[in-house]
Amino acid sequence: MRHRDTVMGLLLAGLLAPQAQAADSAAPLRFEAAPGVHVQAEATEDGSIAVLLSPSGRRLTLPGAADAEGNSRLSAEDVDFDGRPELVARASVGMVNEAVAVYRFDPASGGFRALEAETHGRDNCGSLMGLTVDAATRTLTSSCRSGPMWYTDQYRFAGTKLYLYRSEDVLRLGDALDAALQWEQTDEQGPLAVWRTHDAAGRVLESAIGDGLSAPASGEPLRGQQATVLPARLFLFDRPGAASTKRYLVQGDRVEMLDEQDGWVKLRYRNPKQGVVEGWINVND
């Protein structure tokens, strides 16, 4: 199932966090950001957000997520899963993308802070585009389209810190991979991509190669695409760039595709006698 279909299924199942309140084009958005702190927010003509806090009477101006006409849609959604809603601005950009800005109330300063994620430069969308909030798995999903390809970034919280939890890198190996491995492809399947799970420090915990248009289920281990070895012998190296090896796979061996690095693809083979064997093949050789 593609990402968009997954999101629709979650909405119908009631698993995505509901909006506390969404503002229409005329009425300001009103919600309680913290006990006793009431917020009135309204999108202005220049694309910013005018905020009035009560009972303090403090006024704030926040950057919005405006479309070409300066319009943005405001809502109050519990994005960080603390039981209180955040101020969310959404706007259509281009033909299919949606820009999103999220602001969390900061009791210490009495104002709002933009929600930003630690990505270590591994995200595809650059911000929380097309944001969906899955309360069941406490995961935020950002999706965007560039050219013919849809991309997905998934985020989680470590305490109050938002970090990139899962990312994807689309494989660009062309016919080289097709000459080494064969796998089942359907009309619904997109290009292959490496999905990686990260911890809050940016370390890669696991990786697997799968459908680039179908985000893996959040919270479940990654599973790689199954494939069959095509050459009579396919040499298996300990690491990318290694010069020699005594290990090899043979035609017909079934493998799981795990990772890619500079034209080298990591495979997992379950040997009936030796158990699980992992190694790298050079698909450009």
Side-chain angles (χ1 to χ4, degrees), residues 114-130:
L115 178 62
E116 298 180 349
E118 180 62 69
T119 68
H120 299 279
R122 295 169 178 162
D123 61 306
N124 283 293
C125 295
S127 60
L128 300 178
M129 302 283 289

Side-chain angles (χ1 to χ4, degrees), residues 49 62-65 75 77-80 85-90 99-105 112-116 128 131 133 140 157 162:
I49 306 171
L62 304 175
S75 62
E77 308 174 43
D78 185 6
V79 172
D80 59 5
E86 279 67 56
L87 174 58
V88 180
R90 299 173 181 268
V100 181
V102 178
Y103 294 96
R104 305 163 82 181
F105 181 72
F112 283 89
R113 293 183 182 274
L115 178 62
E116 298 180 349
L128 300 178
L131 178 67
V133 182
L140 307 183
F157 286 93
L162 183 66

Side-chain angles (χ1 to χ4, degrees), residues 86-192:
E86 279 67 56
L87 174 58
V88 180
R90 299 173 181 268
S92 299
V93 290
M95 296 295 293
V96 294
N97 287 321
E98 180 186 62
V100 181
V102 178
Y103 294 96
R104 305 163 82 181
F105 181 72
D106 178 24
S109 65
F112 283 89
R113 293 183 182 274
L115 178 62
E116 298 180 349
E118 180 62 69
T119 68
H120 299 279
R122 295 169 178 162
D123 61 306
N124 283 293
C125 295
S127 60
L128 300 178
M129 302 283 289
L131 178 67
T132 58
V133 182
D134 186 355
T137 62
R138 301 176 71 88
T139 302
L140 307 183
T141 297
S142 175
S143 61
C144 59
R145 182 174 176 175
S146 178
M149 181 66 187
W150 279 92
Y151 296 94
T152 299
D153 302 314
Q154 293 184 331
Y155 297 87
R156 283 187 170 181
F157 286 93
T160 59
K161 174 185 176 182
L162 183 66
Y163 70 95
L164 184 65
Y165 160 67
R166 279 211 174 130
S167 63
E168 67 169 315
D169 287 322
V170 175
L171 293 185
R172 306 184 188 279
L173 299 176
D175 296 336
L177 184 60
D178 296 340
L181 301 171
Q182 182 181 49
W183 62 93
E184 182 179 354
Q185 301 182 62
T186 66
D187 292 339
E188 294 298 315
Q189 185 171 329
L192 292 178

Side-chain angles (χ1 to χ4, degrees), residues 8-48:
M8 184 60 68
L10 289 171
L11 285 168
L12 294 175
L15 295 178
L16 293 186
Q19 294 184 358
Q21 181 186 348
D24 59 33
S25 58
L29 173 70
R30 294 182 175 87
F31 65 98
E32 188 177 54
V37 179
H38 298 275
V39 178
Q40 175 178 299
E42 191 169 8
T44 64
E45 292 183 358
D46 65 1
S48 63

